[in-house]
Amino acid sequence: MSPHRAIAIVFAVHGAVAGTLSTRLPWIQDHLALDPGALGMALLCPPIGAFIGMPMAARVAYRFGSRGATRVLIGLWCAALALPALSPSPLWLSAALLLFGFGAGMSDITMNAHAVALERHLGRSVMSGLHGMWAVGSLTGGGVGTLAAQAGIDARVHLGVVAAVLLAVGGAAGRGLLRDGRSEAASAGAPAPRRFALPSRAILPLGLVGFCAVFAEGASANWAAVYLTAVTDAGPGVAAAGYTVLMLCMAGMRLVGDRFIRLLGPVTAVRAGGVVAALGGVLVVAARTPALGIAGFALVGLGVAVVMPLVLAAAGNRGTTASEGVTGVATITYLSGMVAPPITGWMADGLSYPAAFSVITGVVVAMTLLARVVGPSGGASRQPSAEGSLVVTRD
């Protein structure tokens, strides 16, 4: 198995774990007799766990190499999938979800850092396609979970079997990852990342671009159906299609996005994506029919799709180590994904839905204006080659 195919499978496995759990939350809620408030409190634990784990991942990857760290952490996260359904009480559920989020955040950092190392090795962009594979895995896990829920399969059985299958698949893929032995950065005497790495000054501009992209993505994904219902009088099925089309456009563009990145270069790719997403935002704001609104959300999905993969790749090449750079950006963008939905809701409540998405369109425009920071050394628009600025440091 080639290293490229191996890390693509790892990304798909990571997505499948996330997609699988989300489909069985109703079973867990019913099994533990949780009211919405109690379930909501429990669901705060995964992001808390991820926030704790992410800044620690850089040190782990430095010590053991991105290959070794990814193999272990993806295995632990697959195993953690079985725990929430086995929880005998709300307290145990919160603990299981905290561990689940911890594993999610750490494995997310190390597999993206390994993807940066693979890009250096290949001398070309592959990050967008890998994030597309994550979306494919998430959709697949969600689809299987939906079928299991419809069939009335006990979630303890379903999650246990899926965890075992994904653990085996992830373990097999891990053997094919690019070999880096013990971290080359550590072997070369590069300074170790802090035990709890926060974004550095060099990473902050990239983090701001990623923040804008994830903000637009999170706001659109969480509010598309509600917006179409409230503003365009769409029925439930048509409104739900807004979210589905948005996500399918994002997944499809990420799968083919590396071709555009190689053709245009990272800076132009972000700028072009920003223009498309801004046009989508204008359509959403102007829409008074479901078709126009769905078209707008589709353009938003297409436009922001490749931005986050490019930001992660640039951060990995700009940090002291790939994992430290990825950690800094991921911490910022994860926060963006958390705050985007409630802020959008507050704006819609205080102003209106179109006014809220006018602000989101402005965020996309800001992302477009800041696009130059994703280029090599924060300025040039040419895609770096294997002998160029891709080769900065190694995990």
Side-chain angles (χ1 to χ4, degrees):
M1 182 184 300
S2 70
H4 188 184
R5 181 171 297 178
I7 191 62
I9 293 174
V10 169
F11 269 77
V13 167
H14 196 283
V17 174
T20 297
L21 180 63
S22 63
T23 63
R24 302 320 304 264
L25 289 175
W27 185 96
I28 294 171
Q29 180 181 18
D30 182 67
H31 180 68
L32 294 178
L34 301 176
D35 59 42
L39 180 61
M41 290 298 294
L43 291 178
L44 284 174
C45 293
I48 292 172
F51 264 120
I52 295 172
M54 280 180 170
M56 300 170 63
R59 189 67 174 239
V60 174
Y62 174 89
R63 176 72 182 275
F64 300 105
S66 63
R67 179 179 187 266
T70 298
R71 292 182 66 184
V72 171
L73 291 170
I74 196 69
L76 290 176
W77 197 42
C78 289
L81 175 61
L83 298 180
L86 298 175
S87 302
S89 69
L91 182 60
W92 281 103
L93 175 63
S94 296
L97 291 175
L98 188 72
L99 180 62
F100 184 82
F102 185 85
M106 291 196 75
S107 57
D108 192 17
I109 294 298
T110 58
M111 73 186 193
N112 275 286
H114 191 78
V116 173
L118 180 63
E119 285 196 336
R120 294 173 184 161
H121 177 75
L122 297 175
R124 57 186 174 89
S125 172
V126 298
M127 186 72 83
S128 179
L130 296 178
H131 282 251
M133 288 300 297
W134 190 97
V136 170
S138 180
L139 291 169
T140 302
V144 172
T146 299
L147 293 175
Q150 289 286 347
I153 297 175
D154 190 301
R156 291 167 292 193
V157 175
H158 169 220
L159 297 186
V161 170
V162 171
V165 170
L166 292 178
L167 183 61
V169 173
R175 290 195 291 271
L177 293 176
L178 187 68
R179 293 188 175 276
D180 58 0
R182 185 175 178 269
S183 169
E184 293 183 21
S187 300
R194 291 162 292 174
R195 294 186 184 276
F196 199 79
L198 295 175
S200 66
R201 183 177 300 177
I203 297 301
L204 285 177
L206 288 169
L208 183 56
V209 173
F211 185 96
C212 293
V214 173
F215 194 97
E217 175 187 340
S220 298
N222 282 273
W223 287 95
V226 177
Y227 187 96
L228 291 170
T229 300
V231 178
T232 71
D233 293 322
V238 175
Y243 168 81
T244 303
V245 170
L246 168 73
M247 299 309 293
L248 287 175
C249 285
M250 285 192 61
M253 177 53 75
R254 281 177 173 167
L255 286 172
V256 301
D258 290 309
R259 299 177 186 177
F260 291 97
I261 294 167
R262 294 168 201 157
L263 177 66
L264 300 174
V267 175
T268 304
V270 172
R271 285 176 178 159
V275 170
V276 171
L279 177 60
V282 171
L283 287 180
V284 169
V285 172
R288 294 302 178 266
T289 63
L292 191 60
I294 291 173
F297 283 117
L299 290 177
V300 172
L302 289 172
V304 302
V306 302
V307 177
M308 193 58 204
L310 279 170
V311 166
L312 287 168
N317 286 296
R318 208 165 295 173
T320 304
T321 63
S323 54
E324 188 171 11
V326 170
T327 296
V329 160
T331 303
I332 296 171
T333 56
Y334 201 83
L335 175 63
S336 178
M338 287 181 63
V339 302
I343 289 177
T344 303
W346 296 333
M347 289 191 297
D349 184 52
L351 300 171
S352 68
Y353 286 107
F357 274 85
S358 295
V359 174
I360 292 165
T361 302
V363 170
V364 172
V365 171
M367 176 195 81
T368 308
L369 296 176
L370 292 167
R372 67 184 302 274
V373 305
V374 304
S377 302
S381 60
R382 181 179 57 85
Q383 178 70 16
S385 65
E387 289 80 30
S389 45
L390 270 177
V391 184
V392 180
T393 58
R394 288 186 181 272
D395 239 353

